[in-house]
DNA sequence: CGAAATATGTATCAATTGTTACAAAACAGC
DNA sequence: GCTGTTTTGTAACAATTGATACATATTTCG
C-alpha cells in the first residue's frame, strides 16, 4: 500500500504517511484492481463505499435514452470518487465509471469512513471542505448560467478575470473552449466579441482583452 | 434554551432532548437576539460560526451593482444558516441576512461544531447528509438547465412528475410559476404547451396534463 | 521560410424565444 | 348568479442565438 500517494489525496491532505498508516490500520478497507475499459460502477447503483483511485484513471459517463454514452469527466489518482453522493438523500451513482487503464481503487464502507472522520479532525475538515467546495462550485456555475445573454456571460467572465485592479485580461483558452464553457456556439461568441468591440466596451488584440468601459460591462450583467 | 425545538433542526434530527442537552453542555455557544429588520450578517463576511435560527425567521438578500436588493429565500426556525459555507475554500456569506421579525439565533464557532461532529455520529451523519443533499439539489438544477429548448424542459418536467407508472400529471402551479421555474416567459411556455398538444404529445384539460406519447417526449429531452 | 493545421472573423438564413397586447376562460367572493 | 380578479390562450413582431459556410489570420512544425 502506497501511503505516500494517499497523503496527496484531497481527503488525506496534511496527514503524514505515518499517521495515514496508523489510521488505516484501525479501519477496514480493500483495494480492488480493474483492467482497461472494465466497468467500476454502474449509474444508479447505491454508493455504499468511499472510492479513492490509488493508481490509474477512470472516466465518468452518462448513458442517455438512445444508448449513447456521453463522457462527463476524467478522474485520476489519487482522487476520490463521487464524494458528494456518499451521503445525501439520493446516494446513488449519477454516472457509470469505467477504467481508462489499469486502475487500483481503494474501497471503504461508509460506516468505516464515518469512524475515520471521527478519529481525525484533519480528515473531517478536509472532507467537509471538499463537499462544501463542490456545492460552492455548483452554486457559482448556476449563477453563471443565470445570465441570459451571451454578452452578459462575457461581461461577467471578463470582470471576474480582471478583478478590481486590472483592466485587461489575457485569454488562456481558444474561442471554442470559451464557447463550450458558456454553452454557446463558437461563431455566436465571436459575433458578440465583435459587437462589444464596436460598442467600445472592450478592445481585443491577439489574446489580450482590454476592458475599456467597466461601468457599462457591469450594467450588461444586470440585464439578467 | 428550548432543546425540544432544537431536535427538530435538520442537524439534530434523531437526537433526543436529553442527548441534545448533554452534548450542548460540552460545547461553547451563544444565543443572540435580533429585532425586526436588524441585519444578522452582511454578504462577504467570513462564516466563523454555525448559525441556527432558534425562533423567528430571516431572509437572505443579495445586493446587485445598482444597489437593488433581491430576496433570495426565507429561512425559518429551527433551520441552520449557510451550512454549505461553513467550510469550503470561499467561506464567506453569499447573502446578507436580515431578521423578518424578532429572532433568536444560536451561534457556535466552527471549532466547537467540529467537536460536536466528532462526539456524535448521528449529528455527523445529519450534517453530511444535509450538505450532500444540497450539492445534489444544485447538481440536478444544473442538469435541468442544460436542456436548451423549452420543449426539452417541459418534457423532462412532465416525465419526472409522472414517473414510470403514471401517464398523467396534476399541475399544482400556475403557468407563471412554472415559467419562472424554467426561467422562461409565461407566453413562451403557453405556446410550447399549445404546440406539444397540437403535435399529439400531451393533452391538457384544466390542470391535468396527460402524456400521450412518452417515447417522443424522451426523445425531445435528448435534443439537448 | 513555407506548408499544413488550427483559430478567428464574418455573412446569411433558420429556429427559438422574448415582448407586448388583448381576448377568452376559470376562479373567488359576495 | 354576478362581478371583479386571476389565469390562460393566442397573435404579431423584435431580438437573440444556432447552423453552416467560407475567407482570413495565426500558429505549429518540419
Amino acid at each position: 500500500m502506497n501511503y505516500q500517494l494517499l497523503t496527496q489525496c484531497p481527503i488525506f491532505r496534511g496527514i503524514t504517511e505515518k499517521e495515514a498508516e496508523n489510521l488505516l490500520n484501525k479501519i477496514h478497507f480493500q483495494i480492488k484492481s480493474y483492467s482497461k475499459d472494465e466497468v467500476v460502477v454502474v449509474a444508479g447503483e447505491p454508493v455504499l463505499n468511499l472510492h479513492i483511485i490509488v493508481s490509474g484513471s477512470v472516466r465518468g459517463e452518462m448513458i442517455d435514452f438512445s444508448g449513447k454514452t456521453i463522457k462527463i469527466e476524467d478522474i485520476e489518482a489519487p482522487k476520490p470518487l463521487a464524494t458528494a453522493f456518499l451521503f445525501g438523500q439520493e446516494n446513488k451513482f449519477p454516472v457509470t465509471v469505467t477504467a481508462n487503464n489499469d486502475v487500483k481503487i481503494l474501497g471503504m464502507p461508509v460506516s468505516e469512513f464515518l469512524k475515520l472522520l471521527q478519529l481525525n479532525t484533519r480528515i473531517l475538515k478536509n472532507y467537509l471542505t471538499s463537499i462544501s467546495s463542490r456545492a460552492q462550485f455548483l452554486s457559482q456555475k448556476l449563477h453563471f448560467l443565470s445570465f441570459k445573454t451571451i454578452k452578459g456571460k462575457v461581461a461577467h467572465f471578463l470582470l471576474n478575470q480582471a478583478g478590481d485592479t486590472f483592466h485587461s485580461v489575457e485569454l488562456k483558452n481558444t474561442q471554442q473552449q470559451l464557447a463550450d464553457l458558456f454553452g454557446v456556439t463558437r461563431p455566436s461568441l465571436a459575433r458578440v466579441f465583435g459587437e462589444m468591440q464596436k460598442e467600445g466596451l472592450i478592445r481585443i488584440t491577439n489574446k489580450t482583452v482590454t476592458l475599456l468601459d467597466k461601468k457599462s460591462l457591469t450594467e450588461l450583467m444586470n440585464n439578467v
Side-chain angles (χ1 to χ4, degrees), chain A:
Chain A
M1 179 68 204
N2 182 347
Y3 292 104
Q4 201 274 320
L5 185 75
L6 208 59
T7 60
Q8 283 167 28
C9 166
I11 294 179
F12 287 89
R13 185 167 297 145
I15 302 284
T16 64
E17 277 183 62
K18 282 215 171 155
E19 278 180 293
E21 195 171 345
N22 281 335
L23 285 168
L24 287 181
N25 280 334
K26 297 178 187 158
I27 298 287
H28 296 288
F29 66 90
Q30 48 183 344
I31 306 277
K32 277 193 186 172
S33 294
Y34 300 86
S35 43
K36 185 170 156 62
D37 291 328
E38 196 176 341
V39 172
V40 179
V41 290
V42 177
E45 214 171 84
V47 183
L48 302 173
N49 296 287
L50 169 68
H51 298 261
I52 299 178
I53 304 170
V54 179
S55 72
S57 91
V58 300
R59 60 182 183 272
E61 290 170 328
M62 279 189 68
I63 299 178
D64 69 11
F65 290 78
S66 56
K68 246 186 340 192
T69 62
I70 306 162
K71 184 172 134 187
I72 305 292
E73 56 177 346
D74 270 321
I75 304 170
E76 298 181 341
K79 291 250 165 102
L81 224 62
T83 44
F85 293 88
L86 245 191
F87 303 95
Q89 282 146 353
E90 189 76 6
N91 42 357
K92 296 175 182 171
F93 275 99
V95 292
T96 296
V97 177
T98 314
N100 276 332
N101 37 48
D102 285 0
V103 172
K104 281 194 168 64
I105 296 181
L106 180 155
M108 182 188 297
V110 176
S111 55
E112 293 296 303
F113 182 51
L114 278 171
K115 275 189 211 164
L116 190 59
L117 292 177
Q118 294 191 306
L119 276 172
N120 187 289
T121 311
R122 185 68 205 231
I123 293 183
L124 174 59
K125 244 183 179 167
N126 283 344
Y127 186 65
L128 290 173
T129 300
S130 153
I131 42 181
S132 296
S133 295
R134 183 176 166 77
Q136 288 172 24
F137 167 77
L138 289 172
S139 181
Q140 275 196 316
K141 196 141 191 172
L142 215 52
H143 181 231
F144 184 70
L145 281 178
S146 74
F147 295 106
K148 288 275 164 59
T149 65
I150 301 182
K151 268 187 195 171
K153 290 177 188 185
V154 171
H156 177 257
F157 174 80
L158 291 176
L159 288 168
N160 229 34
Q161 293 282 313
D164 284 340
T165 44
F166 297 100
H167 286 269
S168 68
V169 174
E170 189 82 16
L171 294 183
K172 284 172 187 163
N173 308 300
T174 66
Q175 279 192 5
Q176 184 62 64
Q177 290 170 321
L178 284 181
D180 289 342
L181 181 68
F182 295 170
V184 300
T185 59
R186 206 266 314 154
S188 293
L189 180 62
R191 171 170 44 199
V192 166
F193 270 137
E195 283 172 9
M196 289 174 81
Q197 195 161 207
K198 259 183 203 155
E199 292 164 14
L201 298 173
I202 58 177
R203 185 176 53 233
I204 306 175
T205 41
N206 281 344
K207 289 284 189 184
T208 317
V209 181
T210 311
L211 312 189
L212 300 173
D213 188 349
K214 277 200 175 186
K215 205 170 171 185
S216 301
L217 285 173
T218 54
E219 274 165 19
L220 266 183
M221 280 176 40
N222 294 328
N223 295 344
V224 182

